[in-house]
Amino acid sequence: MGMAVKRTATAVALTGAAVLLAGAVSPHPGAAAGDSRPVVRTDAGAVRGVRSGDHRMFRAIPYAAPPKGEHRWAAPRPVRPWKGVRDAAGPGPLCPQVASAYAKVTSLEEDCLVLHVTAPAAARRAPVLVWVHGDGTVGGGRFFDARRLAARGTLVVTVNYRLGVFGGFALPGLKGSGTFALQDQQAALRWVQRNAAAFGGDPGNVTVAGSSFGAAAITGHLTSPGAQGLFHRAVLSSGEGMMDMPAGAMGPGVPAYPSYSWRTTREMRETGVAMASSLGCAGRDAARVLRCLRALPVKKVMEVPYIMNAFQAFAFGNEVLPELPEKALREGRFHRVPVLSGATRDEHRLFVGMTYDAVGKPFTAAQYDQALATAFGRNAGAVRAAYPLKDFRSPALAWATVVTDRMWARGTHAQHTALGRYVPTYAYEFADRDAPMYLPLPGRFPFGAYHASDTPYVFEDEAAQSRFSPAQVRLSDTITDYWANFARTGSPNGPGLPLWPRFTPSGGLPHTQSLAPHRISFVDYAKEHRLGFWRRLP
């Protein structure tokens, strides 16, 4: 899950007809006389971008063929080469998605496997950062403006990939079940290996970065045989790869899961069979069911309630993810690359706020007691004693703190510990409790340092940054410097920046860097989030 879609996206509603303009191809190769727009030749053909100040942008470049018709729910295929020069100035398509409460974005276009390149004006062997956006059911690479990173000498690639049911669908006998989004991302990383140099990037120095669902995907890539050698560093922001989920944590009626991001291939296939029946494609002949499903219009597929969210997880126990990534990380079976890993201080306030108080449905003391009982059973009393309502301004904040500590912080700390045993790991907590709320939620609620609130501190976002204080501007500059340094060298440290020691699980208190407008330094992460208390509970 994730909330990284930009607020500016709320005015966008793209369907197939509206996005075709972005794929236009000029009949004449090269730039026209007097045209200063840069042209780069990729392995599939030339693209013409735009130049602005100290950077160049190339948008909506296909990295895989359209996953349509018989290729829906199949591995990504190579792009068909084009003649002439393809216009890469427009925003391009979004993958199929339906509007949500926080992103009024829709698309029905399956020809959507494109990426966007933002490069320094005169890049040569620049470090490459590939951004995998969050959410899992909405969004796209076009919403992430990477000019700040490009200004620091980093070539940034932001990626579209199949979302929801189109990225995670599974059926008995369907090869790749539950992993099509991961396969798309690996296809994009292979595109980077083939083409980064043409844009001035270094294919031997690639960082893959993501937030929320995107960070969980990267955890998968760290353990996936198909990702071997495709990247050399990783950034995990609010990653969910080592989280479990207590009952009711993500809303009333949502059951507990031992893994937030991962399901067995069998589980995903069972979900697929049920959804196929809802779409009128039931039957015992798996091949016939699949033909029926592939023949359905995108709109018809997405009309089934909750079908997009039903596949917002990754399947393991297959060729793409042979084993549970959480287990592989704990036991050291992953690609050994430096990692920058962290979360926000108040992760779960976003989810509680957008379900209750921020939409005019205040979370009550009685609901707090019920939520504790649902999530923790016979241990509810111990949790209530550790998090008494008198310590919080509202029951909503009490519940948000409980879930932040129990689910997010515990999972994040476990991730730091597992990674830190084997590779250079730099842990952080984003702690700006006045971070601007850039999602279109109607009510007032103290969201604090909410889930994905750090994203606009790296990527340009006018809705958030226009509200930054001078101290927040400085924090944004520092965080972006840390990211750029990490992409270049594998360490966030650099001249003029507060020292950031590595997270070392053994030999004393591990270092977590607190990132706040008026303080960038060590925080005792385990103490702050009462992880000792949670370790004592079964």
Side-chain angles (χ1 to χ4, degrees), residues 204-209 218 222 231-236 334-341 415-416 419-427 483 485-492 502-503:
N205 188 7
V206 175
T207 296
V208 62
I218 293 168
L222 282 168
F231 59 93
H232 312 93
R233 326 192 194 290
V235 178
L236 307 174
F334 62 92
H335 308 311
R336 303 296 176 83
V337 301
V339 177
L340 192 154
S341 168
Q415 179 174 279
H416 296 163
L419 293 166
R421 290 192 181 111
Y422 300 99
V423 298
T425 300
Y426 296 89
W483 278 49
N485 290 342
F486 182 77
R488 185 171 59 254
T489 69
S491 167
R502 286 168 53 170
F503 182 98

Side-chain angles (χ1 to χ4, degrees), residues 432 434-436 457 464 467-477 517:
D432 184 359
D434 295 314
Y457 287 69
R467 297 158 57 195
F468 276 0
S469 69
Q472 288 172 321
V473 170
R474 291 192 296 271
L475 176 63
S476 176
D477 286 339

